[in-house]
Amino acid sequence: MASLDLPYDAASSVALPKKRIRLGEVVVQVVLFVAATISVLTTVGIVLSLVLPAIDFFRIVSPWEFLTGTTWAPLFLEPEFGVVPLVVGTLVISFWSSLIAFPLGLGVAIYLSEYARESVTRFLKPILEILAAIPTVVLGYFALTFVTPFIRDIGIEVEIFNALSASIVLGIMLIPTVASLSEDAMAAVPRDLRDGGYALGADKLQVSTRVVVPAAISGIIAAFVLAFSRAVGETMIVLIAAGQLPQITFDPRETISTMTAFIGATGNGDVPTGSIEYKTIFAVGLTLFVMTLIMNLISIRLVRKFREVYE
């Protein structure tokens, strides 16, 4: 068959048809760009709304006094602005709730991913989602009116408002977050890794804990950090059940206060707008924002370090 030999100039002059601009694709790109821009501007607006009043607060109160002081009494006649009791209360609540949510949530994820039949999984996952959808104000009163009396009935002496009941209910609230994200991470582990474990004589428990969990560790860590961040930022449960007494204590049986509880209680109170007492809300909010930002950065670093990529 004879080939068609075109001169170089003739071949190079052949132009490809221009790509047709589709109106739908342009609209989608514009909508996505607007959505991304709105999210960025919203974040910037939130940061500015915290930073500007906080700067005015720190012009009056020393940042060193604020960050190292051990007495928090901004509404007293002789105010004290040491935020350490609120930070300690926040970390205590977050620690005890995580101690409940992490193992239980991971256990639920392992069961759903490795043990449960598909019909059971389809039945249990919506129930977990319903648990996550319960309003936190309802959970707060549940902790105050049911969990605290129950703890007293079994012989543990606790205050009416205490960190233990708030932590228990908050930990239960966080179980769906840990379980759902961890189960998704385990579901992404290739079947070949499981089959290799079974081929070596491992049973289901060994495959689940020594093969699947280590392979999905990056997603599990992300679930843990997200749940811990939610515990740090929870307001209504700790405001209702843990009380509003800022003190440095690691005993969960006592009354404590957290940063979010102070913001929620003070923001709805009779504090004059623009006063130094009012600006404490933004100083505490900025501290909380920095804490969660640091935790998210640590989470990103850990996820990248332990991330497993499968093809």
Side-chain angles (χ1 to χ4, degrees), residues 238-284:
V238 293
L239 177 62
I240 296 172
Q244 300 180 42
L245 178 61
Q247 60 175 331
I248 300 177
T249 178
F250 298 95
D251 188 351
R253 297 173 299 176
E254 297 186 9
T255 303
I256 62 175
S257 182
T258 65
M259 291 185 285
T260 54
F262 169 78
I263 294 173
T266 307
N268 292 325
D270 298 327
V271 178
T273 302
S275 62
I276 184 64
E277 293 82 5
Y278 179 78
K279 292 177 182 177
T280 56
I281 299 174
F282 300 95
V284 175

Side-chain angles (χ1 to χ4, degrees), residues 24-40:
E25 292 183 359
V26 175
V27 172
V28 170
Q29 291 179 4
V30 171
V31 171
L32 294 178
F33 176 77
V34 171
T37 303
I38 291 175
S39 63
V40 172

Side-chain angles (χ1 to χ4, degrees), residues 290-304:
V290 172
M291 287 178 57
T292 55
L293 177 62
I294 292 174
M295 286 188 292
N296 288 332
L297 293 176
I298 294 174
S299 172
I300 293 173
R301 184 176 181 85
L302 290 175
V303 168
R304 289 178 178 175

Side-chain angles (χ1 to χ4, degrees), residues 6-29:
L6 294 176
Y8 177 78
D9 294 338
S12 61
S13 63
V14 177
L16 296 176
K18 293 184 179 180
K19 184 178 179 180
R20 183 180 177 182
I21 298 177
R22 297 181 179 180
L23 181 60
E25 292 183 359
V26 175
V27 172
V28 170
Q29 291 179 4

Side-chain angles (χ1 to χ4, degrees), residues 189-203 206-208 210-212:
V189 175
R191 183 67 192 178
D192 293 342
L193 293 181
R194 297 177 174 85
D195 294 338
Y198 292 129
L200 293 174
D203 57 22
Q206 291 173 327
V207 170
S208 301
R210 300 185 182 182
V211 176
V212 178

